[in-house]
Amino acid sequence: MILNLAQPFALLAVGTLISEKANLPMPGAIVGMLLLALYFGATGGVDTGSDRLFGKLSPHFAFLFLPVASSVLPSWPLVAGAWPLVLAAVVFGTVSTLIVTGLCAQSLFSAGNHKLKGTAQC
Amino acid sequence: MLDNEVIVFATSIPVTTAAYFAARWVHERTGHTPASHPVPVGTLLIVSFLVLVGMDHEQYRAATAPLDVCLGAAIVFLSVPLVNHARMIAQNSAVVAIAVFVGSTASIATAITLPVALGTEPEIIASLAPKSATAPVATDIAGTFGGVVGLTATVAILTGVIGGVVGAPLLERCGVRDPRAVGLALGLASHAIGTARALQISREAGAFASLGMVLNAILTVALVPCVLWLLAI
């Protein structure tokens, strides 16, 4: 359990080191995520301990976003001057992106499913 | 004004934990309505606490730095659903590639449409363009192209919160019910907060959300400079 918990922290450190030394435009966490995926892939998949730990921790990931989200407070003066425009752009942008991506992915997935069914019938 | 460092360090993480459990309680009591999602409610509770007791936000962030490390590790751990669904992702790689390209382009285009149409300052446009990418990537791009880094960080967080709150019900209303499509849209549009929301739906949605978040971060790095160059910013 402790080893399973240590894995993401260790790969976060390695990812951050690689990201900084290689001057990558990706944050260390993303590099670490790809490294852990490669490790799991090389060792035949996710081990039971990591899988169980992920299942226990993932419902509480929202907790870790609270300090970051509170950073809206000191940035408020920056937004305050142009808040109607910024808020409109963020809401419009996020809602449009969700709809466009969701509908595009769903139609492509269902087209793929139909194709697979067609192939199976043939 | 609460500026005693020992008190700030001793109370910040317990206050954050209490705010989270209070927010979860509210979310459960209100029948899991999107508006009562733990992230916006918990954030509101923390911001209210900081303002009420006069605690300096910078000191609060320094005291909660261990949670930022845990957040980084949590993002690394998102490779678990990604690997568990690797076969399904590989089978749908063409669909994922097209949907992510369309979604990333839409996220940049729709973020800057209003500001460009209204002739807003280039700094604001450069700050808004990368908003759907995860915050460290978004702030890095904005900083490189003359955006206001603090504004980008705020906008990226707001994007995550909005997507986390309205994303799932909005997609449901639009008829998007395939967990793969729901996950991809949530991760792409609202990075890690959207991915955490997708994981509450299903592991499958979480896997596609992780993928959407990572691929969108990579594409945003490539696309935003092109868009800003086209706009001569």
Side-chain angles (χ1 to χ4, degrees):
Chain A
M1 185 74 134
I2 291 171
L3 192 67
N4 298 130
L5 193 60
Q7 269 176 345
F9 283 96
L11 285 165
L12 172 66
V14 174
T16 306
L17 199 69
I18 292 174
S19 174
E20 281 181 8
K21 294 285 176 196
N23 214 7
L24 296 176
M26 288 290 128
I30 300 280
V31 178
M33 180 186 175
L34 297 172
L35 288 174
L36 187 59
L38 283 175
Y39 169 77
F40 284 141
T43 54
V46 180
D47 55 284
T48 323
S50 291
D51 199 42
R52 204 174 294 163
L53 186 66
F54 182 82
K56 279 182 184 167
L57 295 179
S58 61
H60 298 288
F61 279 174
F63 166 63
L64 300 171
F65 291 109
L66 297 185
V68 183
S70 74
S71 299
V72 170
L73 184 63
S75 301
W76 187 247
L78 283 170
V79 186
W83 75 264
L85 173 74
V86 170
L87 194 66
V90 171
V91 172
F92 173 69
T94 310
V95 167
S96 316
T97 306
L98 280 163
I99 295 173
V100 168
T101 314
L103 287 175
C104 175
Q106 169 132 317
S107 58
L108 289 168
F109 280 129
S110 48
N113 287 346
H114 287 308
K115 202 175 160 188
L116 275 177
K117 274 180 196 166
T119 314
Q121 280 167 1
C122 290
Chain B
M1 179 82 178
L2 186 63
D3 55 3
N4 183 313
E5 268 186 34
V6 175
I7 297 175
V8 170
F9 271 80
T11 54
S12 292
I13 291 181
V15 162
T16 308
T17 311
Y20 170 68
F21 281 105
R24 267 182 72 102
W25 181 80
V26 170
H27 193 48
E28 277 163 24
R29 279 299 176 105
T30 51
H32 297 93
T33 54
S36 68
H37 189 274
V39 174
V41 173
T43 306
L44 198 67
L45 289 172
I46 291 169
V47 168
S48 308
F49 170 81
L50 296 178
V51 171
L52 278 175
V53 303
M55 191 187 280
D56 180 45
H57 183 264
E58 220 167 280
Q59 280 190 324
Y60 166 78
R61 289 296 285 127
T64 52
L67 297 182
D68 290 347
V69 179
C70 294
L71 176 60
I75 292 173
V76 173
F77 221 21
L78 288 175
S79 55
V80 170
L82 204 60
V83 174
N84 279 339
H85 294 83
R87 187 169 292 179
M88 187 191 280
I89 288 168
Q91 282 168 350
N92 295 289
S93 54
V95 170
V96 169
I98 296 168
V100 169
F101 183 76
V102 170
S104 286
T105 311
S107 83
I108 299 165
T110 55
I112 61 171
T113 301
L114 274 178
V116 168
L118 295 171
T120 314
E121 295 88 347
E123 297 84 41
I124 302 272
I125 296 170
S127 307
L128 286 169
K131 69 166 186 56
S132 279
T134 181
V137 174
T139 50
D140 199 42
I141 297 170
T144 310
F145 292 94
V148 184
V149 172
L151 177 59
T152 305
T154 307
V155 160
I157 292 161
L158 277 176
T159 301
V161 172
I162 291 169
V165 171
V166 305
L170 178 75
L171 290 167
E172 167 89 28
R173 190 161 281 205
C174 292
V176 181
R177 293 187 180 90
D178 187 322
R180 298 168 295 178
V182 172
L184 207 59
L186 283 173
L188 188 146
S190 306
H191 46 84
I193 301 179
T195 304
R197 178 70 186 94
L199 278 165
Q200 290 173 338
I201 299 168
S202 72
R203 286 268 194 121
E204 192 183 358
F208 277 83
S210 307
L211 191 67
M213 178 182 73
V214 172
L215 293 179
N216 184 46
I218 295 166
L219 263 183
T220 305
V221 169
L223 289 176
V224 168
C226 303
V227 172
L228 295 179
W229 177 76
L230 283 172
L231 294 169
I233 290 172

